[in-house]
Amino acid sequence: MLTLLLCTDATAQFGPQQVISNNADFAYTAFPADIDLDGDLDIVTSSSLDDKVAWFPNDGNGVFGPEIIVSLDVKYATSAMAFDMDGDGDIDIVATGAADDEVSWFRNDGTGSFGSERVISDEADQARYVWIDDLDGDGLLDVLSASFGDDKVAWYRNEGNGAFSDELLVSNTALSARCVVTADADGDGDPDIFVASAGDSRVAWYENLGSGAFGPAQTITTDANTVISVYATDLDGDGDPDVIAGGNGQPYVTWYENLGGGTFGPQKVVSTSAIHARGVHAADLDGDGDPEILTASWIDGKIAWHENLGGGNFGPQQVVTTNAEGAHSVWAADLDGDQDLDICSASAVGDLIAWYENIGSAVTLYCSPGDLNSGGTSVTLGGSSSTGPGVFHLEASGGPAHEFAYFLVSATPIAPGAVVADGHLCLGPPLGRYSGPGTNLHSLGRFNLNGVLINQVGNSSVLSGYDVPSNLPNPPGGVIAPGDTWHFQLWYRDGLSSNFSDGISVTF
């Protein structure tokens, strides 16, 4: 088996969708946590139409076992997080149920088996989101909830040994509250609260005054159109947490700079292409020391990310998948133990829990971006270790709908390439074509309406793209051997002419 090695100037790239489960009925949450204490991150899920909270064990390499049900009685389960709530050294689960207005937790016995539901509160009307943090500085993790039906944000003090206080009200004027998170907004050493309220398109924060007392709402914006999700972290490297918001209306993903002391600047647009952004998150996907922005968008089924270019600037949307219809949740964590951050997601419409391997250190893009095509986009390539019969899997996105295409290969890259038809050929001779009918050297595909290349000849283990075999077309002939570097590009029909993608280099 060939192993992919490091290429210089590599950027984050993600492999094809790897399904963990398609049995989470209207999935809302996929949250990484080491439930069985074996040193790798498992996935905790909530799904609403089956009232289910469950987890999936990870073997350490990103291979997930069958579902282990925690509860089938969290009515319309809308969120779940996993932390050690009782201080016994293992990871418990906290969840919300919108239909029974409950915030509850489940005790881990230390083996990944969970006890019965322990209700923290049944007064969170249409509870939508739960968050965990030590709000009062006593060393114990407290619970926060946002509830849609009563416009409420509340917290519950951890009193030790798994006991929680009655509801402690933060606000009952967060109109249609959807999401709540924490970060130290004002730099005074304790966690403040950030809330997304859809009914008034407001993102606000509440100052922690000490010992778990909170001040009134301080509005960051009322222009986060039908805001659903919020996340806070330092995006611009100045040492204080900024805020990301995602919503159902344009502009779908925005961020707000913390100018210091909890004063926030004007809205800055990240994306107008994440249609109905139900989930936002931030993490350092490309290993350069600053956090990228991740999005899960409901209508277009996208899991995507935006590279942090530094200084509070973000690159264009980079699509990980368009096959996550009803995407609601996205998180980043190292799921396969290779020291980079992968992505996991929950998608309601397809009942889908999935993950995507970060293979950024294996490939290098060049001649990028490719030339614009008749659809006004450029085709970009991505790659990953193949899950099928090949040694490498190639993907292509951004193509004109219904046009056909096939992959090319060469031992010699050329940049910026030679003008051919409407694009640039960035491969030198001898040039190989993966266009041999009836063999594994045939990569013929067509772009679908979302611009994704769908394989037409059965040579892809995931339907889209192409599984590159070890044998090479002739020319150049021979086989791909360990230590080789090969360069790939896609030729495609573009209206009455033709065009090329960017190039991708792979060291095996």
Side-chain angles (χ1 to χ4, degrees):
M1 182 175 181
L2 297 179
T3 300
L4 300 176
L5 302 178
L6 178 68
C7 295
T8 59
D9 301 321
T11 184
Q13 296 286 319
F14 291 88
Q17 184 180 84
Q18 300 189 50
V19 174
I20 297 172
S21 174
N22 54 14
N23 191 39
D25 196 355
F26 219 69
Y28 262 72
T29 304
F31 183 78
D34 186 5
I35 295 297
D36 51 9
L37 299 180
D38 64 352
D40 52 45
L41 293 174
D42 312 300
I43 299 294
V44 176
T45 65
S46 68
S47 45
S48 59
L49 295 185
D50 52 11
D51 304 329
K52 186 164 60 181
V53 174
W55 70 283
F56 296 83
N58 186 348
D59 74 350
N61 297 306
V63 177
F64 290 87
E67 170 186 81
I68 299 175
I69 294 174
V70 175
S71 177
L72 292 171
D73 200 34
V74 179
K75 302 303 183 184
Y76 205 86
T78 49
S79 69
M81 295 191 83
F83 290 92
D84 183 7
M85 304 308 298
D86 54 4
D88 64 353
D90 53 35
I91 305 301
D92 311 300
I93 294 175
V94 186
T96 54
D100 56 12
D101 307 332
E102 287 186 352
V103 181
S104 55
W105 76 286
F106 301 86
R107 183 178 180 274
N108 188 339
D109 70 1
T111 68
S113 295
F114 289 84
S116 58
E117 180 181 25
R118 302 184 181 198
V119 176
I120 298 172
S121 174
D122 59 4
E123 297 181 351
D125 188 6
Q126 297 182 50
R128 303 301 296 209
Y129 206 80
V130 69
W131 190 261
I132 310 299
D133 203 345
D134 179 8
L135 297 176
D136 54 3
D138 64 355
L140 302 174
L141 292 175
D142 308 303
V143 176
L144 263 167
S145 65
S147 43
F148 181 87
D150 53 11
D151 310 326
K152 189 164 62 182
V153 178
W155 74 284
Y156 314 88
R157 180 180 282 113
N158 188 336
E159 298 181 333
N161 299 316
F164 290 87
S165 72
D166 293 335
E167 169 192 290
L168 300 168
L169 184 67
V170 176
S171 175
N172 58 8
T173 60
L175 192 61
S176 303
R178 290 298 298 259
C179 186
V180 59
V181 300
T182 59
D184 185 5
D186 51 6
D188 63 354
D190 52 30
D192 307 300
I193 295 173
F194 296 83
V195 177
S197 50
D200 53 8
S201 299
R202 184 185 303 269
V203 178
W205 75 280
Y206 300 79
E207 182 184 357
N208 190 333
L209 303 175
S211 301
F214 290 89
Q218 301 187 50
T219 298
I220 297 172
T221 184
T222 55
D223 292 325
N225 197 348
T226 321
V227 62
I228 301 295
S229 54
V230 64
Y231 192 76
T233 193
D234 183 9
L235 296 174
D236 54 5
D238 63 355
D240 51 33
D242 310 298
V243 175
I244 312 161
N248 281 355
Q250 285 278 22
Y252 295 115
V253 183
T254 55
W255 80 281
Y256 307 85
E257 182 183 357
N258 189 334
L259 302 176
T263 299
F264 288 85
Q267 182 180 86
K268 299 182 181 184
V269 176
V270 177
S271 177
T272 59
S273 301
I275 304 175
H276 288 203
R278 296 291 182 93
V280 293
H281 185 53
D284 184 8
L285 299 178
D286 56 7
D288 65 353
D290 51 30
E292 279 64 53
I293 292 177
L294 296 88
T295 63
S297 44
W298 182 278
I299 296 298
D300 54 13
K302 285 181 188 173
I303 304 298
W305 65 286
H306 295 261
E307 183 182 359
N308 191 331
L309 304 175
N313 298 304
F314 291 88
Q317 183 184 74
Q318 301 192 49
V319 176
V320 177
T321 186
T322 57
N323 296 319
E325 188 178 2
H328 196 275
S329 170
V330 61
W331 285 90
D334 183 7
L335 298 176
D336 53 4
D338 64 354
Q339 309 304 309
D340 55 26
L341 297 181
D342 311 299
I343 295 173
C344 61
S345 66
S347 308
V349 175
D351 308 332
L352 180 68
I353 307 296
W355 79 283
Y356 313 84
E357 181 187 0
N358 187 336
I359 47 84
S361 61
V363 300
T364 303
L365 293 177
Y366 69 102
C367 282
S368 187
D371 294 278
L372 292 178
N373 55 44
S374 56
T377 60
S378 57
V379 175
T380 189
L381 300 186
S384 69
S385 300
S386 180
T387 57
V391 296
F392 193 72
H393 181 80
L394 286 170
E395 289 279 343
S397 60
H402 309 302
E403 300 287 16
F404 70 90
Y406 57 81
F407 287 96
L408 309 171
V409 64
S410 172
T412 306
I414 298 176
V419 175
V420 177
D422 288 346
H424 283 77
L425 176 62
C426 296
L427 301 174
L431 180 68
R433 294 173 172 82
Y434 289 102
S435 58
T439 72
N440 63 355
L441 296 173
H442 200 21
S443 64
L444 183 69
R446 285 187 184 275
F447 292 106
N448 66 13
L449 292 176
N450 293 319
V452 176
L453 186 70
I454 304 300
N455 194 279
Q456 302 291 298
V457 290
N459 284 334
S460 172
S461 54
V462 293
L463 301 181
S464 58
Y466 174 54
D467 291 336
V468 178
S470 58
N471 53 309
L472 289 158
N474 190 17
V479 298
I480 296 174
D484 284 354
T485 298
W486 289 94
H487 313 276
F488 302 87
Q489 200 173 6
L490 186 80
W491 173 93
Y492 61 97
R493 179 61 63 188
D494 189 11
L496 298 178
S497 188
S498 61
N499 209 327
F500 296 91
S501 69
D502 54 7
I504 189 170
S505 300
V506 183
T507 297
F508 294 88

